[in-house]
Amino acid sequence: MMTNENRMRALQLLGAIDEDMDALLAYTSNAFTPRQDTGSDELPPQWPEMWERVQNVCSTPPRLEIFTSVAGPIPIVYPADTTDFEGLLREIIFKGKDVPNLEKRGAQFVFGKAQRFIILTDKPYSGVPAKDMGLSENEWLEKSMIIRKNHECAHYYTKRFFGSSKNHLHDELIADFNGLYTAFGEYCAAWFIKFFEIRFDIYVKGMSVTAANVIRALATVAAKGVEKWTKTEGFAQLDEAGRIEYLAGKELLTYVGDGEVAT
């Protein structure tokens, strides 16, 4: 575990100013508490009622999959189109209120005492065009679905076993890693940076411009650190759960000490 002095030094290397230090120290603290199992392998008894509500909201019957995820079985709802996806978010998730950053959303993970499920769309991941990934339209849509599904399942894992899942760099680093590695069998820092930048404002909400720029720099350093880790012998010995647990246990600012700081 890093000392507070070391954490401040790492943030200064990333360009942090004194006025932002408290906010950045709070943001980069590790929210994950290992092995706090807050879930169950059994589907909630209220799930059939929720599934009925989902079907009633959708104009076209959605597809349902009970997916055996790294964190255990979880229902995944596939709306027929974007309109139904947005309707589910508005009516069921946000209770009729406006949905923030709706145009940037392609999935929704729901976890509560009475429910847990995932809603997925078939959009290109993060809105990135297929040509930017060097793939055909069909190939990229297929990969996007794999990324999105396993991204959300990583959120489920950290919520169930580490007690936290939120809109935050650390969470997205883990979730995008899990999705990308499952889809491609490898991890490329440039892919994560591309996706994270598109959704960037979601993860730095309420922060000053200067503090947000520090988080942007940290995202680049951390992504490169994760890519480097995937080339190690230790990485090759881990299964999916082990990889998620390793990333959850590694403090964000340790990546600054592991490699070069982006300038």
Side-chain angles (χ1 to χ4, degrees), residues 28-152:
T28 55
S29 63
N30 196 331
F32 299 120
T33 304
R35 309 311 301 178
Q36 298 293 310
D37 189 344
T38 57
S40 167
D41 282 345
E42 299 297 323
L43 294 183
Q46 299 89 342
W47 168 246
E49 180 181 345
M50 176 58 72
W51 174 232
E52 184 176 352
R53 287 185 62 199
V54 165
Q55 295 178 87
N56 289 337
V57 169
C58 293
S59 59
T60 302
R63 182 167 66 89
L64 174 65
E65 175 187 18
I66 306 300
F67 181 61
T68 304
S69 79
V70 65
I74 187 167
I76 299 182
V77 176
Y78 299 89
D81 53 38
T82 300
T83 300
D84 279 351
F85 171 74
E86 293 178 355
L88 288 172
L89 264 60
R90 287 193 185 96
E91 299 303 319
I92 292 181
I93 310 304
F94 289 87
K95 314 297 183 185
K97 299 178 182 177
D98 289 338
V99 183
N101 300 290
L102 181 58
E103 72 284 353
K104 295 184 180 181
R105 294 177 182 267
Q108 181 68 45
F109 166 55
V110 181
F111 186 99
K113 292 181 179 180
Q115 293 294 350
R116 72 172 187 274
F117 61 99
I118 293 168
I119 307 172
L120 298 180
T121 66
D122 60 356
K123 298 177 183 178
Y125 192 67
S126 286
V128 173
K131 61 182 177 59
D132 288 4
M133 297 296 294
L135 298 171
S136 71
E137 296 290 341
N138 287 339
E139 286 174 330
W140 180 223
L141 288 176
E142 180 181 345
K143 295 291 188 185
S144 292
M145 185 61 77
I146 296 171
I147 296 169
R148 192 169 279 123
K149 177 189 289 189
N150 290 279
H151 174 114
E152 298 304 323

Side-chain angles (χ1 to χ4, degrees), residues 227-243:
E227 182 176 341
K228 182 179 178 181
W229 167 62
T230 64
K231 307 295 195 295
T232 65
E233 183 178 343
F235 172 85
Q237 297 174 353
L238 296 173
D239 60 9
E240 183 177 3
R243 295 190 292 264

Side-chain angles (χ1 to χ4, degrees), residues 27 89 94 99-108 125-126 151-152 155 166-169 171-172 195-207 212 215-216:
Y27 186 96
L89 264 60
F94 289 87
V99 183
N101 300 290
L102 181 58
E103 72 284 353
K104 295 184 180 181
R105 294 177 182 267
Q108 181 68 45
Y125 192 67
S126 286
H151 174 114
E152 298 304 323
H155 283 315
K166 55 187 177 180
N167 291 330
H168 187 280
L169 169 57
D171 295 74
E172 292 307 293
F195 301 145
F196 186 75
E197 186 62 34
I198 291 169
R199 311 189 304 262
F200 181 68
D201 56 333
I202 298 174
Y203 308 118
V204 294
K205 185 177 180 181
M207 302 189 79
I215 299 306
R216 178 180 277 112

Side-chain angles (χ1 to χ4, degrees), residues 210-230:
T210 50
N213 284 336
V214 172
I215 299 306
R216 178 180 277 112
L218 178 56
T220 297
V221 172
K224 290 179 178 179
V226 172
E227 182 176 341
K228 182 179 178 181
W229 167 62
T230 64

Side-chain angles (χ1 to χ4, degrees), residues 142-195:
E142 180 181 345
K143 295 291 188 185
S144 292
M145 185 61 77
I146 296 171
I147 296 169
R148 192 169 279 123
K149 177 189 289 189
N150 290 279
H151 174 114
E152 298 304 323
C153 287
H155 283 315
Y156 177 33
Y157 191 96
T158 63
K159 184 66 175 178
R160 177 174 175 181
F161 294 111
F162 291 86
S164 182
S165 175
K166 55 187 177 180
N167 291 330
H168 187 280
L169 169 57
H170 201 169
D171 295 74
E172 292 307 293
L173 190 72
I174 295 168
D176 262 11
F177 163 79
N178 200 55
L180 286 166
Y181 192 80
T182 304
F184 292 98
E186 61 177 320
Y187 176 83
C188 175
W191 294 340
F192 171 76
I193 295 164
K194 182 191 298 287
F195 301 145

